[in-house]
Amino acid sequence: MTGLLYKILRINWVKLLLFFIGSMFYPAMFALLFRFSPDALDGADGNVSLLIWGVCAFLTFFFGGACQDSLFNDGESKKWAYFVASTPTGIKGHIGSKYLFALAWSMVTVTALILINYFAVDGNKDLADGSVVFIVFFYIQLLMRAAEFPLMARFGGKMGKNMKLIILGIAAFIIFAYALFGDTSAFADIDTFLDRLFNAIQDPDTLKKITLKFSIAAAAVIPVYYLSYRLSVRWYLKGVETYEK
């Protein structure tokens, strides 16, 4: 397992470095701007900075997800797959190294974001603390990979991504249909809705309740991630048959 992780890092270290630097560009620029230019937030409350932290987290984990996807099926070939199956660590070690790498990447990402956040907040007290937002995106990232990796193992990289797009398209259609015909009174005034959301996050009592519920949901992510790994191991050799060579 350790050797497989080293192989991922050794072969792809340039790609990983570029992806990481690129994904951290916007959060770092935002932190530098508002630490050394406090007047940039004049006339805006903490909700604005919290929204910006959310956008930064989305972009960062989006780039990270692209990197994780590109490495999961890196070097797809039947010869390599059957060779992996014949090694002492076998398919479990091969797939496990991919899952461990994805987990480690997400952990490094959320840690870097929290450090960037503290760097900015330490120099500008008007900024909202975005740590909770980053942690939420961390678990969303794990859930996305838990759903996507088995599809990529079973149907190959290209087909697996297409399957993911189909699922996302169906989800988007359901949301769109609900927006047209469902009860959307809670979202009738988007400004009011966002104000209630931000106020709830900043209220200590409400935040404690949200944190408790989120902690319970987050605890469920780990077994889901493990079950995803087990499913990918089971489907791996079936997916090998879809490889062109």
Side-chain angles (χ1 to χ4, degrees):
M1 181 77 73
T2 305
L4 291 170
L5 284 171
Y6 175 77
K7 171 181 172 291
I8 294 175
L9 295 174
R10 181 67 182 84
I11 295 177
N12 301 283
W13 71 270
V14 175
K15 179 196 294 187
L16 296 176
L17 183 62
L18 292 175
F19 260 109
F20 187 76
I21 293 174
S23 66
M24 289 296 160
F25 176 79
Y26 288 108
M29 290 300 101
F30 170 69
L32 289 171
L33 173 65
F34 290 105
R35 180 182 174 91
F36 298 110
S37 301
D39 296 340
L41 270 181
D42 279 354
D45 55 18
N47 295 343
V48 174
S49 59
L50 195 63
L51 182 62
I52 296 175
W53 282 133
V55 173
C56 289
F58 172 80
L59 292 173
T60 300
F61 282 104
F62 176 80
F63 284 116
C67 178
Q68 292 167 343
D69 287 349
S70 68
L71 293 180
F72 187 83
N73 285 104
D74 190 30
E76 280 185 352
S77 70
K78 290 184 178 180
K79 290 182 179 179
W80 171 250
Y82 290 131
F83 169 75
V84 165
S86 67
T87 59
T89 54
I91 298 173
K92 291 183 179 180
H94 176 64
I95 296 296
S97 66
K98 307 286 188 179
Y99 273 78
L100 284 177
F101 167 77
L103 177 61
W105 179 277
S106 298
M107 292 175 66
V108 171
T109 298
V110 73
T111 302
L113 286 173
I114 291 175
L115 291 176
I116 289 174
N117 166 79
Y118 287 155
F119 170 78
V121 173
D122 181 63
N124 189 339
K125 301 303 180 182
D126 293 330
L127 286 176
D129 187 350
S131 300
V132 175
V133 176
F134 300 145
I135 294 172
V136 169
F137 272 92
F138 166 75
Y139 284 107
I140 292 175
Q141 174 91 307
L142 291 185
L143 282 176
M144 291 290 291
R145 301 292 80 77
E148 187 174 26
F149 282 171
L151 294 175
M152 295 175 69
R154 176 61 182 86
F155 301 104
K158 293 181 180 179
M159 183 59 69
K161 291 176 183 178
N162 290 336
M163 293 287 292
K164 182 190 71 171
L165 291 176
I166 292 173
I167 294 173
L168 291 176
I170 294 173
F173 175 78
I174 293 173
I175 293 173
F176 179 71
Y178 181 82
L180 289 177
F181 306 108
D183 181 11
T184 58
S185 57
F187 307 94
D189 187 342
I190 190 63
D191 292 332
T192 303
F193 170 76
L194 290 176
D195 287 339
R196 292 202 309 268
L197 177 62
F198 290 133
N199 290 334
I201 294 176
Q202 295 179 359
D203 180 65
D205 293 332
T206 306
L207 185 59
K208 288 180 180 179
K209 296 178 182 179
I210 294 175
T211 303
L212 177 60
K213 294 178 181 178
F214 178 72
S215 299
I216 296 173
V221 173
I222 303 303
V224 168
Y225 197 68
Y226 175 75
L227 291 175
S228 171
Y229 155 72
R230 299 288 297 180
L231 192 60
S232 294
V233 170
R234 175 174 293 186
W235 282 355
Y236 181 70
L237 286 181
K238 294 181 180 179
V240 170
E241 300 302 321
T242 65
Y243 296 172
E244 295 181 358
K245 58 181 181 177

